[in-house]
Amino acid sequence: MANLYYREDLDDAAFAPGALVEITGEEARHAVRVSRLRVGERILVGNGRGAIGAGTAEQVAKDRFSVRIDHAEGGDAAVGPRLVLVQALAKGDRDERAVEQATEFGVDAIVPWQASRSVSRWDGAGGAEKTAKGVAKWQRIAREAAKQSMRAAIPVVGEPVALSDLELLARSDRSAVIALHPRGALTLSEWGRSAAASADAIDDVVLVVGPEGGFADAELDALEAAGAHVLVLGTTVLRTSSAGPAAIAVLNTTFGRW
């Protein structure tokens, strides 16, 4: 299977059949030094926003290579509503593992959330700098996971949101906000079967996952009062690192993405 590399500054037309795409910098160094790219090898290149082309490496140097596109790939199919993961900050690398796996499973956007029980904190002294570094790290993780899973589009990693932002989103007619929590009376798969019948009425399904300590009661109450659905995944309780990806897998099947 061919490897995929990105050049995000190019528009979709740059990946049309016959085009010559040159990759430089760290992306090229990784292809040449780590993946051992050679002249004549088949490879995929894209802009990370949906355009992706296949072709043969024509020139390879230590810090650059060029690919002659011979056909455009189909890219990521836009089926059903957009899937958005609102991932609570968590200790260790658990939130980062959620970002990686959610990307591999096809999430469209990822948003950090500093819940009241989040052990990991991006606020306080140096908060702005810490937040910027945190978002940048999640973006890097999503980009690498998208490459590994051969995705034409890299998920967008947004700025952190507050509970009030999620409440506002839950009041929108075009968004379905789902808080995954064991107190839910309905399973995500049951909700999904009902929602699939009117999927055209939903632009975004927003999955909100709490931290390792779970949602605070006040957070769940506020989201539910704003119109969010409190749903359970199943009979077991998953870690914060796996709940979001598992939910995305359920919705991929529900909405015909898989």
Side-chain angles (χ1 to χ4, degrees):
M1 180 182 293
N3 289 324
L4 169 64
Y5 293 94
Y6 296 123
R7 183 169 163 185
E8 288 98 329
D9 63 313
L10 296 180
D11 59 23
D12 291 3
F15 301 90
L20 184 67
V21 177
E22 184 179 58
I23 307 291
T24 62
E26 187 58 37
E27 192 81 342
R29 284 189 287 272
H30 184 272
V32 175
R33 299 179 184 180
V34 179
S35 300
R36 302 296 184 184
L37 177 66
R38 296 293 181 262
V39 172
E41 187 175 334
R42 299 285 299 172
I43 195 168
L44 299 174
V45 289
N47 61 8
R49 300 188 304 278
I52 188 169
T56 302
E58 287 195 353
Q59 296 179 331
V60 176
K62 64 180 181 179
D63 60 353
R64 65 183 60 240
F65 66 87
S66 60
V67 178
R68 181 71 64 181
I69 305 298
D70 53 41
H71 75 275
E73 294 285 309
D76 299 335
V79 177
R82 218 172 54 118
L83 302 184
V84 181
L85 173 63
V86 176
Q87 175 63 49
L89 303 184
K91 65 181 179 181
D93 64 349
R94 288 178 179 172
D95 49 13
E96 295 169 6
R97 286 161 54 195
V99 172
E100 180 180 62
Q101 292 184 359
T103 299
E104 293 174 1
F105 286 17
V107 74
D108 297 299
I110 303 168
V111 182
W113 173 44
Q114 185 170 285
S116 64
R117 292 180 178 172
S118 289
V119 174
S120 175
R121 314 295 294 183
W122 287 0
D123 59 3
E129 182 179 357
K130 192 171 185 179
T131 295
K133 288 182 178 178
V135 170
K137 187 172 185 179
W138 283 25
Q139 288 171 336
R140 289 193 300 272
I141 293 169
R143 187 181 190 277
E144 290 305 308
K147 283 176 60 177
Q148 185 277 328
S149 51
M150 312 292 278
R151 290 191 55 176
I154 304 169
V156 175
V157 177
E159 293 295 316
V161 293
L163 179 63
S164 57
D165 298 317
L166 299 178
E167 291 176 83
L168 184 62
L169 196 58
R171 296 187 181 99
S172 169
D173 293 334
R174 300 295 303 181
S175 296
V177 176
I178 296 169
L180 296 171
H181 192 271
R183 95 174 187 191
L186 194 68
T187 65
L188 178 63
S189 57
E190 289 172 328
W191 175 88
R193 285 192 289 271
S194 176
S198 56
D200 291 344
I202 305 173
D203 292 331
D204 300 314
V205 176
V206 182
L207 297 163
V208 186
V209 174
E212 54 269 51
F215 289 88
D217 288 340
E219 290 170 332
L220 273 182
D221 292 343
L223 288 172
E224 199 165 26
H229 308 275
V230 178
L231 304 177
V232 63
L233 268 171
T235 57
T236 59
V237 178
L238 301 184
R239 291 183 182 273
T240 185
S241 58
S242 55
I248 292 163
V250 170
L251 295 180
N252 279 336
T253 302
T254 298
F255 293 114
R257 294 165 62 117
W258 280 6

